Amino acid sequence: MGEIRIIGGQWKRSKLPVPDAPGLRPTSDRIRETLFNWLGQTLTGWRVLDAFTGSGALGFEAASRDAAEVVLVERDARLAAGLRASVQRLKATTMTVHTADALAWMRAAPRATFDLILLDPPFAVDLFDAALAAATPLLAEGGLIYVEAPHDITPPAGFTAWRQGRAGAVHYHLLRREDNSAS
């Protein structure tokens, strides 16, 4: 078992356990730092969905930066149990963990609920288009979608790649609606 550290916010330097699991690839410190520089260091009042949660690195970073609500969705029961243990240990009262298939969960979730949706599906299975399609209706006006993939992605209709980067084999993209006037 490995571990990652939360890099910012109220739980900065807190460690999260990362179990050995096939395909589990926690978002690197470098990428998380870049993402939260793009978003701003404080997410006060934001509602965040971390689908395909895995290690929880992205969701815990958002909660550590004062997001009002962070929903973690992970289908692997062992990983979800570990996430719940970390939520309890940190007394992360704004976080909830759902053990569910992320695509099915998103298809059933209320529309226009989240300000930020974090998508990091397993790279070995091509779920990127399906994940974006399921996430798009859940995005509140002015919201953003973050995606990690092993290749550049094409934003869905009505979205542009607002910010993007690459670190090793990981391409990461922050998407916004074309009519979103936030900068």
Side-chain angles (χ1 to χ4, degrees):
M1 181 175 298
E3 64 185 21
I4 56 170
R5 285 182 208 256
I6 298 173
I7 59 170
Q10 65 181 323
W11 301 317
K12 184 177 183 176
R13 292 188 282 283
S14 295
K15 296 176 183 177
L16 298 174
V18 179
D20 293 326
L24 184 60
R25 187 190 32 73
T27 301
S28 73
D29 290 2
R30 175 180 162 196
I31 294 173
R32 283 184 282 136
E33 183 175 11
T34 299
L35 172 61
F36 287 96
N37 283 339
W38 291 344
L39 295 172
Q41 295 300 313
T42 302
L43 302 182
T44 302
W46 289 38
R47 295 159 299 160
V48 179
L49 169 63
D50 184 357
F52 309 97
T53 300
S55 70
L58 293 171
F60 278 95
E61 289 288 353
S64 185
R65 289 166 167 81
D66 298 321
E69 175 185 13
V70 178
V71 176
L72 307 177
V73 181
E74 173 54 52
R75 75 175 181 181
D76 183 303
R78 185 174 64 108
L79 292 177
L83 293 166
R84 285 186 188 93
S86 292
V87 165
Q88 287 183 325
R89 182 175 50 82
L90 293 172
K91 298 177 177 58
T93 58
T94 62
M95 297 183 78
T96 56
V97 179
H98 296 274
T99 305
D101 175 83
L103 291 176
W105 190 93
M106 287 190 289
R107 289 177 184 135
R111 305 241 184 255
T113 303
F114 298 101
D115 302 298
L116 174 62
I117 299 175
L118 305 163
L119 300 175
D120 185 6
F123 281 13
V125 183
D126 189 9
L127 298 175
F128 305 100
D129 290 339
L132 283 166
T136 298
L138 305 182
L139 198 61
E141 186 175 333
L144 300 163
I145 298 177
Y146 170 79
V147 184
E148 282 186 27
H151 50 75
D152 276 330
I153 60 156
T154 301
F159 283 82
T160 58
W162 180 42
R163 303 274 174 105
Q164 57 193 354
R166 180 177 176 195
V170 179
H171 295 253
Y172 49 99
H173 311 78
L174 190 58
L175 309 178
R176 70 176 182 179
R177 290 186 198 276
E178 291 173 347
D179 61 359
N180 182 348
S181 61
S183 58

